[in-house]
Amino acid sequence: MKTEDRKEITNKEAKAGVTKAKSNAAAGLTELFEDGLKDIYWAEKALIKAIPLMAKNATSADLIEALNSHLTETEDQIIRLEKVFELIDKKASAKKCDAMEGLIEEGKGILEETELGVVRDAGIIAASQKIEHYEIASYGTLRQFAETLGLEEAAALLEETLDEEKGADKKLTDVAVNAVNFDAAEAE
Ligand code: ZN
Ligand code: FE
Ligand code: FE
Ligand code: FE
């Protein structure tokens, strides 16, 4: 964006409704990139605990397989993120992702709101796809940041993970369409 296209920040706006930045606020895209990496690193680590809980609560063999194979991918994704931190000479560190914490909480809520069986399976797929979509958005942005910053190797690693997240989402759709949702509708 050209500077002239950006609105001038007036003193008045700084007081009214515009969020005041913390003292450690990101000064440039590199820092924003690093913040995003920390966020998704936390999210992936949280998923290492959440996915097995979802798998334990699933009854469809296809769903259990989809969740377990994505757990293995998630382990690889954590290693890939550690490589990206290395590429920018930063120590891998996690910062709580409020969104993923909420999405996982919502998933746990769905478990309590359904009986074990096809209906819970349908709920697990719904919750898992919301998680995958958050990850797709996150990795899509991070890959784009890496490209803009000229970090080609990092961009390639992030794209590899992005493709896995899209694959996981697609697989969950297939399980829903082919194995779970119809049975869940019949269960009423
Ligand atoms: Zn996140
Ligand atoms: Fe992931
Ligand atoms: Fe986040
Ligand atoms: Fe994922």
Side-chain angles (χ1 to χ4, degrees):
M1 187 160 71
K2 289 182 264 109
T3 321
E4 55 266 37
D5 291 339
R6 202 175 289 116
K7 70 173 182 179
E8 224 177 288
I9 301 162
T10 64
N11 242 346
K12 215 171 130 202
E13 272 173 334
K15 284 176 204 153
V18 176
T19 302
K20 194 176 181 310
K22 290 187 194 168
S23 60
N24 63 349
L29 195 64
T30 306
E31 279 181 61
L32 202 56
F33 178 63
E34 204 189 313
D35 288 347
L37 289 175
K38 290 178 184 172
D39 178 271
I40 200 71
Y41 190 56
W42 188 97
E44 296 291 11
K45 288 189 157 193
L47 288 169
I48 291 289
K49 290 182 205 149
I51 297 172
L53 175 70
M54 294 296 158
K56 235 176 258 170
N57 277 277
T59 56
S60 152
D62 289 344
L63 178 54
I64 294 167
E65 192 281 322
L67 292 167
N68 284 336
S69 71
H70 197 49
L71 178 63
T72 308
E73 287 178 332
T74 301
E75 286 161 0
D76 295 338
Q77 292 170 359
I78 288 173
I79 292 166
R80 247 177 247 133
L81 283 171
E82 287 165 355
K83 282 186 198 154
V84 175
F85 278 112
E86 234 179 85
L87 285 167
I88 58 165
D89 283 317
K90 297 285 175 190
K91 203 171 121 279
S93 69
K95 185 173 177 294
K96 190 169 97 178
C97 171
D98 296 323
M100 189 57 75
E101 185 180 54
L103 288 167
I104 290 171
E105 271 315 301
E106 190 164 308
K108 288 179 181 167
I110 286 172
L111 300 179
E112 289 168 2
E113 285 155 19
T114 52
E115 297 284 353
L116 187 71
V118 278
V119 178
R120 185 175 293 181
D121 284 355
I124 289 171
I125 293 171
S128 302
Q129 288 195 280
K130 287 177 188 177
I131 287 169
E132 295 315 316
H133 280 243
Y134 180 80
E135 292 184 295
I136 290 166
S138 301
Y139 282 108
T141 298
L142 288 172
R143 181 202 53 186
Q144 197 51 54
F145 281 2
E147 267 169 27
T148 302
L149 293 167
L151 303 165
E152 278 171 42
E153 209 178 326
L157 287 165
L158 294 164
E159 177 157 315
E160 211 177 312
T161 295
L162 176 62
D163 288 342
E164 280 179 357
E165 308 295 17
K166 287 179 182 170
D169 179 55
K170 164 97 180 41
K171 201 165 172 185
L172 288 165
T173 297
D174 291 344
V175 175
V177 171
N178 298 323
V180 172
N181 284 1
F182 189 74
D183 291 344
E186 295 281 282
E188 274 164 52

